[in-house]
Amino acid sequence: KVFKQARNDFQNVLFLTFKQSNKKIAKLFNIDRRSTIVVYKNNQEISRAIGIINKDKIYSLIKAGI
């Protein structure tokens, strides 16, 4: 729900998701757990969080990359 809303609220942000079974992508981004959020800006990682579901915290991460 939160990401669906975030896509509407942050239309200038590219949101990508992938299935955990895709090990190549997981390895490329160093993601070893489900529910990992990684924010990039100018090809550099700005922030990373695992397991957060709170809308305000997620939005704060997104805003860090804008």
Side-chain angles (χ1 to χ4, degrees):
K1 277 185 162 180
V2 175
F3 284 108
K4 188 174 185 176
Q5 186 176 353
R7 283 187 171 130
N8 290 325
D9 292 341
F10 299 97
Q11 294 184 6
N12 62 330
V13 173
L14 176 63
F15 291 86
L16 302 173
T17 61
F18 73 96
K19 292 186 178 190
Q20 188 67 20
S21 60
N22 190 328
K23 303 296 182 191
K24 288 181 183 180
I25 293 175
K27 185 176 180 178
L28 177 67
F29 291 104
N30 194 27
I31 296 173
D32 59 357
R33 296 210 165 116
R34 297 178 76 188
S35 303
T36 300
I37 299 171
V38 183
V39 177
Y40 282 85
K41 183 175 185 175
N42 298 324
N43 293 325
Q44 289 195 295
E45 185 175 320
I46 301 298
S47 58
R48 175 181 291 253
I50 299 170
I52 62 170
I53 58 172
N54 178 279
K55 178 183 172 182
D56 292 334
K57 290 182 180 181
I58 292 170
Y59 274 42
S60 179
L61 287 173
I62 295 167
K63 289 175 184 176
I66 295 177

